[in-house]
Amino acid sequence: MKRGEMLSAIYEQYDKRKQKLWRFKCYLGKNEFGKDVRTTRSGYKTKKEAQQAYRHLQMNFDNKLHRQSGHMTFEQLYDEFLKSYRNKVKPSTIMILRRAIEDHALPYIGKKKIIDITVRFCTRMNDEWIAAGFKQAYYFRRAVAQILQYGVQQELILENAMRKTAPIKRTEIDENLVATETITVYTPKELSEFLSCCHLHGNLKIETYFRVLAYTGARKSEILALEWQDIDFDTNKLTISKTLAEVEQNPTTKKTKVVSHRAKTSAGKRTISLDWQTIQLLNNWQQRQKKELSILGLSHQSNKQLIFPNRSNNFCRPGQPNDWYDMIANKYQLEKRITLHEFRKTHVSLCAMADMKLEDIMYRVGHKDSKMTKQVYNYFYPEREERSADKFAQFIEQEKDLF
C-alpha cells in the first residue's frame, strides 16, 4: 500500500446480514472552489477490492480537477458542450454544428488544452479558413467561440480567445447589384432545353421534379418533402409547409437520417398556383407512381404518399436531386450548368421578365424580406424605376383636370 493511500483512506471491516464486508473513508482533495472533499464507500467483499475502488475514485477526482484547471482539451470541452446543446436546438442544427467543428475545427484545435488557446492562435486558424476559400468560415469562427464561451461559463477558462479575434464578415448580398456583375441563371431557352433533356431521359419522376423546381421557385428539399395531399388538383394549388433535413442517427457517429421539418417561418408556409402543364405532369406521375409501387410490392400511402420518394418509398437524401441534375447534364453534354439553388434565382428572374410584382415573387419563393429576391429582381428588371416615373407622370397628366 502506498504511503499517500494510507494517509488519504481509512479501511475497516464491518458486519452486515451475517456477512463481513469492507468500507473506506477517504479525503480526495480540494475542489475547484477550495473546499475539502471527503467521502465514504462501502459494500466491498475484500480489502483489496475496497483499495481498488479508492484508487479509481481518486483517479477520477484528479482527472476532473485537472480539466477544471483549464487542462481539458478543446475536444473534451466540445463533447461536454454538445451533450448540453442537444437539449436546446433542433436536430438539424446539431448536424450543422458537428460538421463545422468536427470537419474544420478539431483538426486544428481538438488536442489543444483550452488554457493554451490564444487570440493569436485563433486568428491564424481564421486566416487559414479564409485562405482555403470556405464560405462558411464566419460560422466556423462563431461555433468555436460558442464552445469556448461554454468553458468560460463553467469557469474552466477565464476568457474567450476566439471572441477577441476580428469578425469574419459573411458575404453580403447586394440587392442593388450593378449591371457589370453576373448572376448565373437559365434563360427561358436554356431552361426549356434542360427540361426537354429531362423528358428525353425517360424518367417521369425526375422530369416532374425539375418541372416543379423550375416553375415554383421552391427549395429542393421543400419539393422532396411534398406529399400528394399538398396538391389540390381542382384549384391547381400547391401548399408548401415543410422541408427535409439530415439529423443525427447516432450521437457517437456521423451517420445521419433524413426527417421532415415544418417551415421555419410563416413566409415559408405558402400556397401557390401551378400552371396547367405542371399539373398535368404531376397527375401523370401520380398514376405512374401507383403502378411502380405496386410492381415493387410497396404500398401507396394515399394522400400521405411522398411525391418524390426514394426506391424504398422513404425520404430521398437532400443531395439526391444534385445527382439527378449531374446525370442529365452529363448525358446530354449541357454546356451551361447551374446549381440547384440557382433554379430559385432562375424562377425569380423569369418572373421579373414576365413583369410580375416583386411582392408576388417573394411570396412564391417563401421570402418575407429577401435580399436575394430583390437582387435578382433588380438585376433582370433595371428599368422598373424609369417605368414608375413614366407611370406617375402619365397619371398626373390624365387626372390633372379631375381634382
Side-chain angles (χ1 to χ4, degrees):
M1 184 184 300
K2 296 180 180 178
R3 179 173 176 80
E5 183 176 326
M6 292 176 61
L7 295 174
S8 300
I10 299 174
Y11 300 91
E12 61 181 7
Q13 197 173 36
Y14 65 98
D15 294 321
K16 184 178 182 180
R17 297 176 183 174
K18 298 181 180 180
Q19 185 180 12
K20 291 188 176 296
L21 299 173
W22 284 84
R23 63 186 169 204
F24 65 87
K25 298 178 181 179
C26 68
Y27 169 73
L28 296 173
K30 294 184 182 294
N31 64 18
E32 67 268 31
F33 305 108
K35 295 183 178 181
D36 291 338
V37 178
R38 293 183 171 84
T39 188
T40 300
R41 296 286 190 275
S42 58
Y44 304 101
K45 294 180 179 179
T46 65
K47 186 176 182 180
K48 183 178 181 180
E49 191 177 313
Q51 290 170 337
Q52 289 175 339
Y54 164 71
R55 293 190 192 105
H56 184 71
L57 187 66
Q58 185 69 62
M59 183 177 65
N60 286 343
F61 179 84
D62 292 342
N63 288 340
K64 181 180 179 182
L65 198 63
H66 190 66
R67 292 196 300 270
Q68 288 173 335
S69 61
H71 294 283
M72 175 189 285
T73 66
F74 180 82
E75 187 170 7
Q76 289 172 326
L77 179 66
Y78 165 64
D79 289 339
E80 185 176 311
F81 165 82
L82 201 57
K83 292 177 183 177
S84 171
Y85 198 53
R86 280 193 178 96
N87 299 322
K88 301 176 183 178
V89 298
K90 295 191 303 183
S92 56
T93 303
I94 291 294
M95 284 310 305
I96 294 172
L97 177 80
R98 287 191 61 185
R99 289 191 181 108
I101 295 299
E102 294 172 23
D103 294 345
H104 302 288
L106 293 188
Y108 286 100
I109 202 173
K111 303 303 179 185
K112 200 170 185 66
K113 295 177 181 178
I114 56 176
I115 200 172
D116 295 330
I117 297 174
T118 63
V119 177
R120 187 172 181 82
F121 179 85
C122 290
T123 299
R124 187 170 73 246
M125 185 165 57
N126 291 344
D127 291 342
E128 291 187 20
W129 286 332
I130 295 171
F134 291 117
K135 293 182 179 180
Q136 300 293 317
Y138 73 94
Y139 179 74
F140 301 164
R141 175 187 177 272
R142 189 175 72 186
V144 170
Q146 190 175 13
I147 293 164
L148 289 176
Q149 190 59 29
Y150 174 80
V152 173
Q153 293 168 351
Q154 296 298 312
E155 299 183 345
L156 301 175
I157 47 177
L158 295 176
E159 58 185 11
N160 187 337
M162 185 57 88
R163 279 194 171 182
K164 291 188 174 183
T165 63
I168 301 175
K169 291 185 178 180
R170 183 175 184 176
T171 304
E172 290 292 334
I173 295 175
D174 184 4
E175 64 186 58
N176 300 308
L177 192 70
V178 296
T180 55
E181 298 182 71
T182 303
I183 293 179
T184 304
V185 297
Y186 275 151
T187 64
K189 182 179 179 181
E190 290 167 338
L191 179 60
S192 178
E193 289 175 349
F194 172 75
L195 293 177
S196 293
C197 291
C198 291
H199 178 71
L200 289 173
H201 181 63
N203 186 311
L204 188 56
K205 179 170 77 171
I206 293 177
E207 179 186 358
T208 307
Y209 176 86
F210 282 109
R211 175 81 186 198
V212 175
L213 183 73
Y215 276 68
T216 64
R219 299 170 181 86
K220 64 178 183 179
S221 291
E222 288 178 328
I223 298 175
L224 290 178
L226 290 176
E227 301 167 346
W228 287 114
Q229 65 180 350
D230 297 320
I231 298 178
D232 189 329
F233 286 98
D234 294 326
T235 60
N236 295 354
K237 298 286 187 180
L238 169 66
T239 298
I240 299 171
S241 60
K242 48 194 177 295
T243 187
L244 296 189
E246 288 188 82
V247 301
E248 289 180 312
Q249 184 169 339
N250 185 339
T252 61
T253 69
K254 285 187 180 179
K255 193 171 183 180
T256 61
K257 61 181 179 180
V258 180
V259 298
S260 177
H261 282 168
R262 289 179 295 178
K264 292 189 294 184
T265 64
S266 57
K269 184 176 181 179
R270 58 208 186 272
T271 299
I272 62 176
S273 300
L274 294 176
D275 63 283
W276 181 83
Q277 287 185 322
T278 301
I279 283 289
Q280 283 297 106
L281 198 59
L282 282 163
N283 188 51
N284 292 343
W285 167 234
Q286 185 179 38
Q287 303 310 312
R288 173 77 66 82
Q289 184 189 62
K290 290 179 180 178
K291 294 179 181 178
E292 291 185 358
L293 290 174
S294 177
I295 292 171
L296 293 171
L298 299 172
S299 60
H300 190 280
Q301 304 299 319
S302 189
N303 288 338
K304 286 283 188 179
Q305 171 63 45
L306 289 168
I307 299 178
F308 302 105
N310 62 14
R311 293 180 180 178
S312 302
N313 203 23
N314 294 317
F315 293 126
C316 277
R317 294 181 297 105
Q320 183 65 57
N322 300 70
D323 297 337
W324 294 337
Y325 179 82
D326 290 339
M327 178 175 60
I328 299 294
N330 291 332
K331 181 177 180 178
Y332 295 97
Q333 300 179 345
L334 299 180
E335 292 184 9
K336 184 173 181 179
R337 302 193 183 193
I338 63 175
T339 66
L340 271 287
H341 187 70
E342 284 167 340
F343 272 88
R344 278 169 66 75
K345 293 185 178 181
T346 294
H347 185 76
V348 172
S349 70
L350 298 183
C351 285
M353 290 178 182
D355 209 18
M356 286 179 60
K357 292 182 180 180
L358 174 61
E359 293 76 11
D360 294 337
I361 301 173
M362 291 171 65
Y363 176 79
R364 283 187 68 82
V365 297
H367 281 157
K368 185 176 182 180
D369 180 21
S370 170
K371 288 185 178 181
M372 185 276 282
T373 310
K374 291 179 181 178
Q375 177 200 55
V376 180
Y377 186 81
N378 292 347
Y379 183 84
F380 287 98
Y381 196 3
E383 70 277 11
R384 77 199 186 291
E385 197 275 330
E386 288 85 350
R387 290 191 185 182
S388 297
D390 290 339
K391 287 181 179 179
F392 180 78
Q394 291 171 7
F395 173 77
I396 295 297
E397 189 65 27
Q398 292 171 2
E399 306 294 333
K400 62 184 180 181
D401 296 328
L402 299 180
F403 299 96

